[in-house]
Amino acid sequence: MMKLSLTDLIALKQQHQRITMVTAYDAPSARFADAAGIDAILVGDSAAMTLFGYDQTKGITLDDMLLLARAARRGASRALLIADMPFGSVQVSDEVTVANAVRFVKEAGVDAVKVEGAGPMLRRIGAVIDAGIPVVGHIGLTPQSADQLGGYKPQGRTAAKAHRLLEDARALERVGCVAIVLEAMPEPVAAQITSALTTPTIGIGAGAKCDGQVLVWHDLLGLGGVPDSAGGHARVPKFVKQYADLGPQIVKALEAYIADVQTGRFPSAEHTYSMPEEERERFEADLAADRRR
Ligand code: KIV
């Protein structure tokens, strides 16, 4: 299948075809997403929480993200590959931000990087774009600044704040973003932003009027949390639709494995290498001779 290009995203918007995006952080997951026909794979810094067990995204490092992006690159062939620039990689200066973005392109072969925020980040984003690296914007609930936003809460719920988001989206389009993620905002706000822009919008918790949707791998597949002793699950945000509940299946498979090992049912002959009978006899005879010496 032919690899998608970033201009295909704009074509999809123009043709009113919805864009699909999912996070993935390793080669097999990216391969699954690709095989399912996803348009874009996001190596999100949500990996800080989904993979590394932090309670927020700020802890993941640039080197962590590069490792994950390189792995996902090996699994993705048709889908676009976009990587999040983690907290700390865009805060220092335009020069450092560009150098870090270059690493994503050269070391992980990503098609674009995603940068959270607008306002003071616009100059940074512009510098990366000027260096020839496509940028996906991200406004609304931007997890790297969740502390300043009062926690993981929907944004743009007053007219004034909704206007601000629309202005931020317009500014990101002006600076040249190839797409903009709209996270956790009321549907009418995301709808107005989407119709005001030629740049595709990708929603997460932003309703059905965006040009596309993105979900986090672990939320979508029900891998979000280890079931507790009462069979309960870690809380998932309101906007998540879970398409599978793989967590309990994983626990069940592991329980079966443990029981098989403990009872000697695994490994059986089917999973065991043999050797020619005469070689085995020679080996054992040699050992017996050694013991007699
Ligand atoms: O890190 C991530 O997974 C994201 C998505 C929630 C858009 O930024």
Side-chain angles (χ1 to χ4, degrees):
M1 248 191 268
M2 257 243 297
K3 189 182 174 330
L4 290 177
S5 72
L6 288 163
T7 51
D8 289 325
L9 294 187
I10 298 170
L12 286 170
K13 174 167 180 137
Q14 285 165 349
Q15 293 155 16
H16 304 290
Q17 286 187 46
R18 296 243 163 77
I19 298 161
T20 57
M21 182 189 279
V22 68
T23 70
Y25 319 101
D26 57 36
S29 306
R31 209 173 298 121
F32 281 131
D34 219 57
I38 206 86
D39 296 320
I41 292 169
L42 172 66
V43 184
D45 62 356
S46 51
M49 299 163 90
T50 57
L51 293 193
F52 296 140
Y54 292 107
D55 59 2
Q56 51 168 317
T57 60
K58 275 187 190 164
I60 201 162
T61 66
L62 176 65
D63 285 334
D64 294 334
M65 288 298 298
L66 283 163
L67 183 72
L68 303 179
R70 284 201 299 273
R73 173 75 285 162
R74 292 182 203 113
S77 37
R78 174 187 172 271
L80 289 162
L81 187 71
I82 298 158
D84 252 331
M85 296 203 62
F87 182 78
S89 70
V90 293
Q91 272 69 27
V92 176
S93 68
D94 289 358
E95 291 71 21
V96 172
T97 304
V98 171
N100 290 336
V102 166
R103 289 191 67 189
F104 275 106
V105 174
K106 288 185 83 86
E107 296 175 30
V110 304
D111 298 296
V113 293
K114 179 163 80 60
V115 179
E116 290 187 11
M121 291 311 295
L122 288 168
R123 220 187 75 185
R124 290 279 137 85
I125 292 170
V128 176
I129 294 170
D130 286 348
I133 299 169
V135 176
V136 172
H138 183 164
I139 55 170
L141 171 53
T142 43
Q144 290 174 18
S145 28
D147 293 339
Q148 290 101 301
L149 298 173
Y152 288 84
K153 290 187 182 148
Q155 303 296 305
R157 285 182 123 170
T158 64
K161 287 179 176 161
H163 272 295
R164 179 75 259 151
L165 286 176
L166 177 57
E167 286 320 308
D168 285 346
R170 286 198 163 116
L172 288 171
E173 174 164 276
R174 273 196 304 276
V175 87
C177 284
V178 287
I180 303 172
V181 169
L182 305 180
E183 179 163 353
M185 64 182 69
E187 183 171 88
V189 181
Q192 289 295 341
I193 293 174
T194 300
S195 67
L197 304 184
T198 54
T199 307
T201 61
I202 314 286
I204 175 161
K209 306 278 169 60
C210 298
D211 298 308
Q213 296 292 326
V214 55
L215 276 179
V216 169
W217 184 264
H218 290 64
D219 292 342
L220 188 157
L221 294 175
L223 293 166
V226 178
D228 61 28
S229 51
H233 284 262
R235 215 181 65 76
V236 287
K238 170 185 167 67
F239 54 74
V240 168
K241 181 168 176 188
Q242 201 178 297
Y243 286 84
D245 196 9
L246 299 186
Q249 290 184 48
I250 290 174
V251 174
K252 228 163 118 187
L254 291 168
E255 284 168 352
Y257 164 66
I258 291 165
D260 275 2
V261 170
Q262 286 174 341
T263 57
R265 276 195 303 266
F266 176 81
S268 62
E270 183 195 351
H271 302 108
T272 304
Y273 296 110
S274 62
M275 70 196 287
E277 194 55 23
E278 65 276 17
E279 292 300 328
R280 186 182 67 80
E281 281 168 8
R282 185 171 304 147
F283 177 51
E284 286 174 4
D286 287 350
L287 290 180
D290 282 352
R291 276 195 297 271
R292 281 196 300 274
R293 259 183 233 131

